[in-house]
Amino acid sequence: MTDSPQTPSPETTAPAWGTASVRHAHAGAPKPQDAVRVATVNVNGIRAAYRREMKSWFDGRGVDILALQEVRANGEILRELLGEITGDEWDVTHIHDAEAEAKGRAGVAVASRWEFDQTRTGIGDSYFDNAGRWVEVDLTLPSGQPVTVVSAYVHSGEVDTPKQDDKYRFLDQMLVRMPELATEHRLAVVTGDLNVGHTELDIKNWKGNVKNSGFLPEERAYFDRFFDPDQLNWVDVGRSLAGDIPGPYTWWSYRGKAFDNDAGWRIDYQIATPDLADKAITAVVDRAPSYDTRFSDHSPLVVDYQF
């Protein structure tokens, strides 16, 4: 998500930081044996994230697969900077990306320490072919099990404008593509900045946002369908492991004291097929320790899957 004129000013009431420290943990803990660590983050521009020391976050985190959104750079620049970021951790960095036709906008990628078996670009609607909002990779884990990872960036939208129409069209196509993925790939996960808070637990100031893009009833209804066992039957891994608590939030406006007061939104997801969700053992929002140490206005969502 990016700040827009319709985004209200954040709340200024601070939460109990003891509670927040439980919800926003450090993802640098050692991985359990045979676990695969998947991280997703909207970098808000890979060049800016690199300048703001994204490498310091990545080093020692034990990430195996990294999904990025809002890359805002061409493939050559992305490969150069990601090579710098991952170079001390991975022997080889395998990358599949989709650059947006509009320069300086969108762009998604998946990077991995392991080679890809197959890659795909686009969500299946030609209208979005050059939008830089959906890529898929298939890879075989060291355990021999095949996994499919998607990096997705849903439009932020704007009420009563064509931007909102595009957002609904993209969400409509997700309703088509996700069942196909689940049929074709038993172990699959859609990661990314999906720009919708599903429930009141997902936005600190939800009452002030019920008429804004990102928390509209019509948008949230798509997520009801994603997670309904009688419909698409995918699993919101972050919510499943966190339980029914506020947050943990993944995005905070750069304006005001939103980050310091934890007045955020949970709009970054790892949505898995049931068979893969059953393997998820921990989910952490790797929140920066302070405002000035952030490399993006989003924090990485990091999930360990035990194989």
Side-chain angles (χ1 to χ4, degrees):
M1 176 177 283
T2 54
D3 289 328
S4 66
Q6 67 172 338
T7 305
S9 298
E11 290 185 351
T12 56
T13 302
W17 280 105
T19 303
S21 66
V22 174
R23 300 202 311 267
H24 300 106
H26 188 286
K31 279 183 300 186
Q33 187 175 5
D34 299 325
V36 173
R37 183 163 288 176
V38 179
T40 181
V41 61
N42 178 321
V43 292
N44 203 6
I46 189 64
R47 284 168 287 204
Y50 178 77
R51 290 194 302 269
R52 293 170 177 155
E53 298 296 330
M54 181 179 173
K55 178 175 172 56
S56 296
W57 164 76
F58 189 85
D59 285 347
R61 285 309 193 269
V63 172
D64 298 305
I65 300 170
L66 176 63
L68 305 177
Q69 301 85 44
E70 271 202 282
V71 171
R72 299 183 186 173
N74 63 37
E76 181 179 355
I77 292 171
L78 172 64
R79 281 159 176 76
E80 177 185 353
L81 296 182
L82 262 188
E84 292 287 334
I85 290 167
T86 64
D88 292 338
E89 296 285 315
W90 296 353
D91 293 332
V92 179
T93 300
H94 302 277
I95 301 170
H96 177 52
D97 70 295
E99 180 185 355
E101 187 174 51
K103 300 302 180 185
R105 302 287 299 276
V108 291
V110 178
S112 170
R113 65 167 75 242
W114 303 303
E115 189 174 358
F116 301 138
D117 299 326
Q118 190 171 357
T119 63
R120 294 173 294 278
T121 300
I123 195 171
D125 181 342
S126 60
Y127 181 75
F128 298 115
D129 279 354
N130 298 311
R133 293 185 179 273
W134 186 278
V135 292
E136 303 173 4
V137 304
D138 304 332
L139 64 159
T140 302
L141 302 178
S143 63
Q145 293 180 281
V147 171
T148 295
V149 180
V150 176
S151 180
Y153 177 44
V154 175
H155 307 66
S156 56
E158 187 175 343
V159 174
D160 295 330
T161 73
K163 294 179 181 179
Q164 193 67 27
D165 296 336
D166 284 352
K167 185 174 189 177
Y168 286 136
R169 181 167 177 170
F170 194 89
L171 290 168
D172 282 335
Q173 194 59 30
M174 287 181 67
L175 291 175
V176 175
R177 182 57 186 150
M178 288 171 66
E180 294 173 347
L181 278 173
T183 299
E184 298 163 1
H185 308 278
R186 184 175 62 87
L187 302 175
V189 59
V190 174
T191 73
D193 176 3
L194 304 188
N195 265 318
V196 176
H198 181 211
T199 74
E200 295 170 4
L201 294 174
D202 295 325
I203 302 180
K204 177 70 176 292
N205 181 24
W206 66 267
K207 291 181 180 178
N209 283 283
V210 292
K211 295 183 179 180
N212 290 326
S213 184
F215 200 60
L216 297 171
E218 297 85 353
E219 296 172 330
R220 296 161 61 196
Y222 284 93
F223 286 68
D224 292 339
R225 295 180 66 181
F226 294 162
F227 306 137
D228 188 335
D230 294 325
Q231 297 195 50
L232 271 65
N233 192 31
W234 287 61
V235 178
D236 180 350
V237 174
R239 174 57 65 213
S240 175
L241 292 175
D244 292 332
I245 63 170
Y249 308 123
T250 61
W251 176 82
W252 303 261
S253 171
Y254 273 130
R255 298 186 296 182
K257 294 286 187 178
F259 184 79
D260 293 339
N261 296 327
D262 200 27
W265 297 49
R266 190 181 77 96
I267 54 176
D268 299 86
Y269 293 82
Q270 294 199 29
I271 301 175
T273 54
D275 284 344
L276 183 57
D278 284 345
K279 299 180 182 298
I281 54 175
T282 61
V284 170
V285 176
D286 203 2
R287 190 182 194 270
S290 62
Y291 179 94
D292 60 352
T293 57
R294 306 165 73 189
F295 66 83
S296 171
D297 51 354
H298 293 251
S299 286
L301 172 61
V302 185
V303 177
D304 285 350
Y305 298 90
Q306 183 83 62
F307 287 87

